[in-house]
Amino acid sequence: MVKIDNLVLPDFPLLLAPMEDVSDPPFRAVCKDNGADLMYTEFISSEALIRDAIKSRKKLDIFDYERPIGIQIFGGDEDSLAMASRIVDVTNPDLLDINFGCPVKKVACKGAGAGVLKDIDLMVRLTAACVKATKLPVTVKTRLGWDDATKNIEEVAERLQDVGIKALSIHGRTRCQMYKGEADWTLIGKVKNNPRIHIPIFGNGDIESPQKALEYKNRYGVDGIMIGRAAIGYPWIFREIKHYVQTGEVMAPPTLEERVAVCKKHLRKSLEWKGPKVGIFEMRRHYANYLKGLPNIKEYRNRLVILNTLEEIESVLDEVLAAYQGFEAPHIPIELINYHEKCPV
């Protein structure tokens, strides 16, 4: 088993990464159903949280069936992060996570997210402020460094552990890479195998198959894996990895009936949490992924993204079930899509 302070996770846990505009309660619900061991909210601006911004406050919504779950915050000011940490305390998640990894310009270039990688002393002070302000276990998600010349993750890991973090998730790219190229797990492995490090180290970046998950587990010795883009439209990635790690066998892909059932659940949860208008609008981005690989599916997909009621959408999904009855979907390679329009690949 893996322990984050007093929180006990199963051996080699699979974590759902915090993704802006993706990791909301509806999406988390279907990932939890399919084996995610620990999940995080979308990241929340400490400044917006303090100002009582409605959108940021709503991101604090967590539900008992999601546990264990962490709330992730970001910011570049010690006092603001400390105050935001105390606000998060009231919602009683299992963890408080600090984002030092978001590469988007509007965050990083304002001295938050991955922007803090330019100033390790500041990163340490910000982290210490959160640790002192909350009773929750504090974890951090970050990247290898700002650019190829400043891959300082080994120093970062030691210093953040020294000020009290209980786990560290590392994305195997620098900020300047954004999501380009291949994630480099070499330094993640070095951090994990550093004899000074005694907290759990979770690796993140480019895990899009059970085979790769097991390969990286064995090669780098990480305590668990954090999965982000590969889960978008394919929450089954968690159960498939678990099955492969335990048995060495590739699990059959989800049936069409499973795909439609999960899509419907995601849709209903979206309406419950966001309301009918926003819930239906924001769900439109997910249909292509849920129905990927079905031949000549474009006609149905085009209809799904213009409909405005739950009944109409579910009727079209039922049509898909009927039209493709008996179709056995093959394993389709998961495409690591650029989920954030402001994060150009």
Side-chain angles (χ1 to χ4, degrees), residues 224-239:
I225 284 177
M226 179 176 278
I227 297 167
R229 293 176 293 162
I232 299 175
Y234 202 83
W236 303 278
I237 185 70
F238 297 100
R239 74 176 190 186

Side-chain angles (χ1 to χ4, degrees), residues 215-236:
E215 176 191 348
Y216 280 28
K217 173 184 185 290
N218 294 335
R219 184 187 301 178
Y220 301 107
V222 290
D223 295 285
I225 284 177
M226 179 176 278
I227 297 167
R229 293 176 293 162
I232 299 175
Y234 202 83
W236 303 278

Side-chain angles (χ1 to χ4, degrees), residues 121-342:
D121 290 339
L122 173 61
M123 181 188 288
V124 172
R125 293 198 304 272
L126 293 171
T127 304
C130 290
V131 171
K132 291 173 185 175
T134 179
K135 66 179 186 298
L136 297 165
V138 174
T139 62
V140 164
K141 183 174 189 289
T142 188
R143 289 183 171 231
L144 300 179
W146 178 260
D147 56 23
D148 284 341
T150 57
K151 290 183 178 179
N152 43 29
I153 189 61
E154 293 176 87
E155 175 191 353
V156 165
E158 290 188 2
R159 294 183 66 182
L160 296 187
Q161 177 181 265
D162 289 346
V163 296
I165 70 166
K166 302 303 183 183
L168 178 64
S169 299
I170 306 169
H171 181 93
R173 290 183 174 88
T174 63
R175 186 274 166 179
C176 289
Q177 281 183 274
M178 304 292 277
Y179 291 99
K180 294 177 183 176
E182 186 176 347
D184 178 8
W185 282 56
T186 307
L187 287 176
I188 302 176
K190 285 185 177 181
V191 171
K192 172 57 195 171
N193 293 294
N194 178 349
R196 269 209 64 204
I197 297 296
H198 56 77
I199 59 174
I201 302 297
F202 303 117
N204 174 234
D206 294 354
I207 299 298
E208 84 290 9
S209 71
Q211 294 90 333
K212 197 168 190 178
L214 182 58
E215 176 191 348
Y216 280 28
K217 173 184 185 290
N218 294 335
R219 184 187 301 178
Y220 301 107
V222 290
D223 295 285
I225 284 177
M226 179 176 278
I227 297 167
R229 293 176 293 162
I232 299 175
Y234 202 83
W236 303 278
I237 185 70
F238 297 100
R239 74 176 190 186
E240 290 181 4
I241 290 175
K242 286 186 171 184
H243 183 79
Y244 189 78
V245 169
Q246 291 167 3
T247 69
E249 298 174 355
V250 176
M251 192 177 193
T255 64
L256 180 58
E257 288 75 16
E258 285 180 291
R259 288 205 216 181
V260 171
V262 171
C263 184
K264 284 183 176 181
K265 177 168 183 175
H266 194 166
L267 172 63
R268 287 178 175 270
K269 289 283 186 183
S270 186
L271 268 64
E272 288 173 13
W273 190 64
K274 302 175 184 179
K277 186 173 181 180
V278 176
I280 284 176
F281 177 76
E282 294 192 353
M283 188 64 192
R284 289 172 178 170
R285 73 184 77 168
H286 294 285
Y287 298 127
N289 289 311
Y290 279 122
L291 302 177
K292 187 176 180 180
L294 296 176
N296 306 311
I297 195 64
K298 186 176 180 180
E299 174 199 342
Y300 295 103
R301 196 173 63 232
N302 288 346
R303 289 167 60 193
L304 287 168
V305 298
I306 62 171
L307 298 175
N308 293 305
T309 70
L310 172 66
E311 294 74 20
E312 290 174 322
I313 295 168
E314 290 197 332
S315 176
V316 172
L317 290 172
D318 288 339
E319 285 183 45
V320 171
L321 270 180
Y324 292 87
Q325 189 173 19
F327 177 80
E328 293 187 13
H331 260 298
I332 301 165
I334 295 174
E335 180 186 0
L336 296 178
I337 62 171
N338 175 22
Y339 74 89
H340 201 301
E341 61 190 6
K342 295 183 179 66

Side-chain angles (χ1 to χ4, degrees), residues 3-23:
K3 291 187 71 174
I4 302 177
D5 198 30
N6 292 322
L7 176 64
V8 178
L9 299 174
D11 184 47
F12 196 62
L14 303 179
L15 287 59
L16 173 65
M19 294 179 283
E20 175 70 354
D21 294 331
V22 176
S23 302

